[in-house]
Amino acid sequence: MLCFIDLAALIILNIFIAWNFWQSIWLAVLICIFLYAMRVYETDHSIFSKQLSRTAIAVFLSVLVFLLFRWIIEYEFSWKMVLFNISVCFAVLIPLRIIVFRILSLAKKKYYLVCNGQVVDGFLSELQNANSSIVIEKIRYVPENAKNIVFDSEKTMKFLNGKAKNYKLLPDLIEKYLRRIPVELVMAYPEYYKNTFNKKHNSIAKRILNVVIAALALVILSPIMLVIAIAIYLEDGGPIIFKQQRVGENGKIFTVYKFRSMRNTNTQIPLFADQEKDRITKVGNVIRKLRMDEIPQFLNVLKGDMNVVGPRPEYVGFHNEMSKLIPFFDYRLKVKPGITGWAQVNYRHTSNVEQYKKKLEYDLWYVKNASFWTDLRIMLYTLETIIFRKGAV
């Protein structure tokens, strides 16, 4: 909602000043896309310092793309219009967002949880700790004309036979605010998640989209790939490309391609990335932080082993080990692995079993909620992940 408020404000102010209509709309759309990518509309980034830094990055990137398209399409524009939009972003949009965040933080949203049995209180505690703006009241019967009804089980919902409107299940509420699916929640609702995780995610349209994005990425990034390849060879010789067996959709084993970022040494057992820091080359240190070591994985997308968006493809040894230690770890294989993903943009790099479990919970959320718009959202968030070097090792 806040994104559309910003877009409307920019368009209205541009019309009021009477700048070129289509160019001002194009610039306003670019600004809002990059603001969204920098996640300025999330409450985690509602404080002024984060709003300021993220808005500055978004404005810089949007103006850069605006000028790049001008060089390609050759349209005229006014620097006064560009500077005006930049000024609005800092003088109007940031204060407006902060005010809205303050109002939303004061407004408590109440949910009625209909309990016809034992409810796992741990879920409710985690839910309310994650978002202080919600209140959950346990009840046994649905009040008349009550809204925001939540049921602890499908059995309870069927028992009431549709008497309540605007209802949802407890798992849906937890997923909405935690943005992940706790493993314990899957254990508490096995049948519910068994059905939702088994839905089909592949389609011809999605395959075409992935092929187009991968092909464009390889063409656009080819000069960077050449520079990286030369740098790797000059520092540590060959090979340039690192190949490794990974586990893909439905357990299929495939070869993943990456730019080699570590020195060639023989290791008998798989290690976490932070246990091999001494092997990382100087070039590898740079490309890993910028996630450029993963560019060759677009070849995996063209081959059909991966998508642009999906769970991280795990090394065979790690996957087999984690499958024994973490319940439902194989559920992440319901979709193709990806170069980026919901877990990658929301959680840190994993270096132990507990962190793998937490990252799995984000993967499970993606498996359940995968869609075109979810993929687009993750692609935009990936830009923020790269810029702020989240999870890079």
Side-chain angles (χ1 to χ4, degrees):
M1 182 184 72
L2 284 174
C3 183
F4 292 109
I5 292 176
D6 279 0
L7 180 60
L10 281 171
I11 291 175
I12 291 171
L13 289 171
N14 274 288
I15 293 175
F16 180 76
I17 300 297
W19 301 119
N20 182 290
F21 181 73
W22 292 112
Q23 290 182 25
S24 60
I25 287 183
W26 168 229
L27 181 56
V29 169
L30 280 176
I31 289 172
C32 288
I33 288 174
F34 283 108
L35 285 173
Y36 187 87
M38 290 299 107
R39 305 177 81 154
V40 301
Y41 303 110
E42 296 187 3
T43 54
D44 293 344
H45 306 133
S46 60
I47 62 175
F48 178 75
S49 59
K50 290 186 176 182
Q51 286 288 315
L52 184 63
S53 61
R54 290 166 182 271
T55 298
I57 294 171
V59 167
F60 171 77
L61 292 174
S62 58
V63 172
L64 188 66
V65 172
F66 183 79
L67 295 176
L68 179 63
F69 270 87
R70 174 183 177 265
W71 177 67
I72 297 173
I73 303 176
E74 296 184 354
Y75 51 76
E76 295 182 0
F77 79 103
S78 167
W79 275 109
K80 289 183 179 180
M81 181 194 72
V82 174
L83 294 174
F84 171 77
N85 281 273
I86 293 174
S87 301
V88 170
C89 287
F90 291 99
V92 178
L93 300 189
I94 290 179
L96 181 63
R97 284 197 298 271
I98 292 176
I99 291 171
V100 173
F101 279 129
R102 294 283 172 83
I103 294 173
L104 292 176
S105 66
L106 295 174
K108 299 284 186 179
K109 188 168 185 178
K110 190 170 185 177
Y111 290 95
Y112 293 97
L113 176 60
V114 183
C115 307
N116 194 34
Q118 185 179 6
V119 177
V120 183
D121 290 333
F123 296 143
L124 302 183
S125 298
E126 187 175 8
L127 183 60
Q128 291 183 301
N129 289 335
N131 195 310
S132 59
S133 64
I134 64 173
V135 176
I136 300 176
E137 179 181 333
K138 295 181 185 179
I139 57 176
R140 290 189 63 84
Y141 302 99
V142 180
E144 289 188 15
N145 301 319
K147 295 181 180 180
N148 300 324
I149 304 298
V150 181
F151 296 97
D152 69 329
S153 70
E154 288 181 301
K155 183 178 179 180
T156 307
M157 186 171 67
K158 291 176 181 177
F159 176 76
L160 290 170
N161 195 25
K163 293 179 181 178
K165 296 180 180 180
N166 303 318
Y167 59 79
K168 61 177 61 179
L169 288 173
L170 180 59
D172 296 327
L173 185 69
I174 293 172
E175 293 169 28
K176 176 182 177 181
Y177 287 103
L178 294 186
R179 297 186 300 185
R180 56 185 173 83
I181 301 177
V183 170
E184 293 79 9
L185 190 65
V186 183
M187 297 173 71
Y189 295 87
E191 290 302 318
Y192 172 76
Y193 281 109
K194 181 180 179 181
N195 293 330
T196 55
F197 286 148
N198 283 330
K199 66 179 182 180
K200 293 183 178 180
H201 297 281
N202 296 324
S203 66
I204 296 177
K206 185 169 184 175
R207 177 61 184 153
I208 292 173
L209 177 65
N210 277 275
V211 169
V212 170
I213 292 175
L216 286 174
L218 288 171
V219 171
I220 294 171
L221 298 174
S222 57
I224 297 176
M225 294 173 68
L226 179 61
V227 172
I228 293 173
I230 294 172
I232 292 172
Y233 186 80
L234 291 177
E235 181 183 6
D236 199 48
I240 305 299
I241 300 296
F242 170 75
K243 300 178 183 179
Q244 190 178 62
Q245 297 293 99
R246 299 288 178 99
V247 183
E249 185 182 25
N250 298 321
K252 176 187 175 183
I253 306 299
F254 70 98
T255 301
V256 73
Y257 306 115
K258 299 178 70 174
F259 279 123
R260 185 169 62 86
S261 60
M262 294 185 180
R263 292 183 174 85
N264 283 315
T265 56
N266 292 323
T267 55
Q268 300 299 320
I269 58 174
L271 300 172
F272 292 115
D274 61 350
Q275 296 174 314
E276 297 188 289
K277 285 185 178 181
D278 58 328
R279 291 180 54 211
I280 300 176
T281 62
K282 293 179 181 178
V283 173
N285 189 49
V286 174
I287 62 176
R288 286 166 73 94
K289 288 180 178 178
L290 296 176
R291 305 297 176 93
M292 290 183 177
D293 60 321
E294 299 181 357
I295 293 176
Q297 289 178 28
F298 284 111
L299 293 171
N300 289 112
V301 176
L302 291 179
K303 289 178 63 178
D305 294 324
M306 295 176 61
N307 283 336
V308 175
V309 177
R312 173 187 169 89
E314 286 298 341
Y315 173 68
V316 176
F318 272 139
H319 176 84
N320 293 339
E321 185 66 21
M322 294 304 155
S323 295
K324 297 175 184 176
L325 299 174
I326 305 173
F328 313 112
F329 196 77
D330 285 342
Y331 277 19
R332 64 200 302 279
L333 303 182
K334 297 289 185 180
V335 296
K336 286 184 180 181
I339 300 174
T340 185
W342 187 246
Q344 292 92 308
V345 301
N346 281 290
Y347 193 59
R348 52 167 295 170
H349 191 87
T350 50
S351 58
N352 57 53
V353 176
E354 189 58 35
Q355 290 172 358
Y356 258 98
K357 175 176 173 289
K358 191 70 169 287
K359 199 165 188 177
L360 168 66
E361 295 175 350
Y362 287 101
D363 284 333
L364 293 178
W365 185 95
Y366 175 76
V367 172
K368 182 175 182 288
N369 297 282
S371 67
F372 174 83
W373 294 111
T374 300
D375 284 3
L376 183 60
R377 178 183 180 186
I378 292 170
M379 290 178 197
L380 290 174
Y381 283 175
T382 301
L383 181 62
E384 183 254 4
T385 302
I386 294 172
I387 291 174
F388 289 95
R389 301 194 307 180
K390 292 165 60 177
V393 175

